[in-house]
Each structure stands twice: as structure tokens, then as C-alpha cells.
């Protein structure tokens, strides 16, 4: 069995943070939360909310369904303007997304 939707969203948010260079504090600012609240969502101690998905999708310039389709799809849908510009981060992001995608099968 694959990842739960909450687990998949945690992996996806982590991949997008890596791809963009955003910290938990940046994500918190986007969502109107504290860094601690984002940390709790990312660790699984608290659940992501539907409003969070809408806000993150709008911030990253993608559809909410792209976020829910996993890290590989979300990173593919990420507009170039949101991506880091170093080649090292792209390689790391691609590896992270590939590993997460493989674990959902």
C-alpha cells in the first residue's frame, strides 16, 4: 500500500521547499501560520488542511491537484520563476521526487 494523503503531501511540500529554496518560515508566512505549526504538519504531529493546499498551490503557481498528485508531478508543474537557479538543487530535487514517487507504488 502507498502513502496516505497526509504523508504524500508532507513529501510533496518538502520537495517543493527543496526545489524553491523555501524554508518552513517562508511556507508559514504564505499560510499565515507559525514555523512551529508548519513543522508539526511536516512531522505528522498535525494534519494539513484543505485551505493549506489551496494557499500553497496558489503560492507555487499550480493547481491544488498537482500538489496532491505527489512530489514528481508538483515539481514538474512548478513554474520556472519559482525554481532555484543552481544545478545542484535541481539534481537533489529530482532525486527527492524520484525516491518519493517510487515509494508510492
Amino acid at each position: 500500500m502507498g502513502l496516505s494523503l497526509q504523508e504524500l503531501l508532507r513529501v510533496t511540500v518538502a520537495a517543493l521547499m527543496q526545489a524553491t529554496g523555501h524554508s518552513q518560515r517562508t511556507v508559514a508566512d504564505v499560510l499565515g501560520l507559525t514555523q512551529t505549526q508548519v513543522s508539526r504538519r511536516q512531522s505528522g504531529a498535525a494534519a494539513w488542511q484543505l485551505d493549506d493546499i489551496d494557499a500553497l498551490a496558489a503560492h507555487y503557481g499550480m493547481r491544488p491537484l498537482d500538489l496532491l498528485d505527489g512530489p514528481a508531478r508538483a515539481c514538474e508543474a512548478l513554474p520556472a520563476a519559482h525554481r532555484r537557479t543552481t544545478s545542484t538543487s535541481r539534481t537533489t530535487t529530482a532525486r527527492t521526487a524520484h525516491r518519493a514517487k517510487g515509494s508510492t507504488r
Side-chain angles (χ1 to χ4, degrees):
M1 183 171 175
L3 299 175
S4 72
L5 191 55
Q6 284 289 326
E7 292 167 330
L8 186 63
L9 191 55
R10 287 195 297 270
V11 172
T12 300
V13 171
L16 288 170
M17 288 170 54
Q18 178 68 33
T20 60
H22 289 170
S23 65
Q24 286 183 348
R25 185 169 307 281
T26 302
V27 172
D29 290 344
V30 167
L31 299 174
L33 301 172
T34 66
Q35 181 274 325
T36 301
Q37 289 172 306
V38 170
S39 178
R40 290 179 47 78
R41 282 167 169 77
Q42 280 299 94
S43 71
W48 287 101
Q49 304 298 310
L50 290 175
D51 289 343
D52 298 336
I53 295 167
D54 287 335
L56 286 169
H59 173 72
Y60 287 121
M62 63 182 64
R63 301 172 317 127
L65 289 177
D66 292 329
L67 284 173
L68 298 174
D69 202 18
R73 175 66 194 126
C75 288
E76 289 170 2
L78 187 65
H82 288 281
R83 297 178 190 274
R84 282 188 186 192
T85 56
T86 64
S87 60
T88 304
S89 67
R90 287 187 192 139
T91 303
T92 303
T93 301
R95 272 193 227 122
T96 302
H98 177 71
R99 284 185 200 135
K101 185 176 181 180
S103 65
T104 63
R105 293 180 184 199

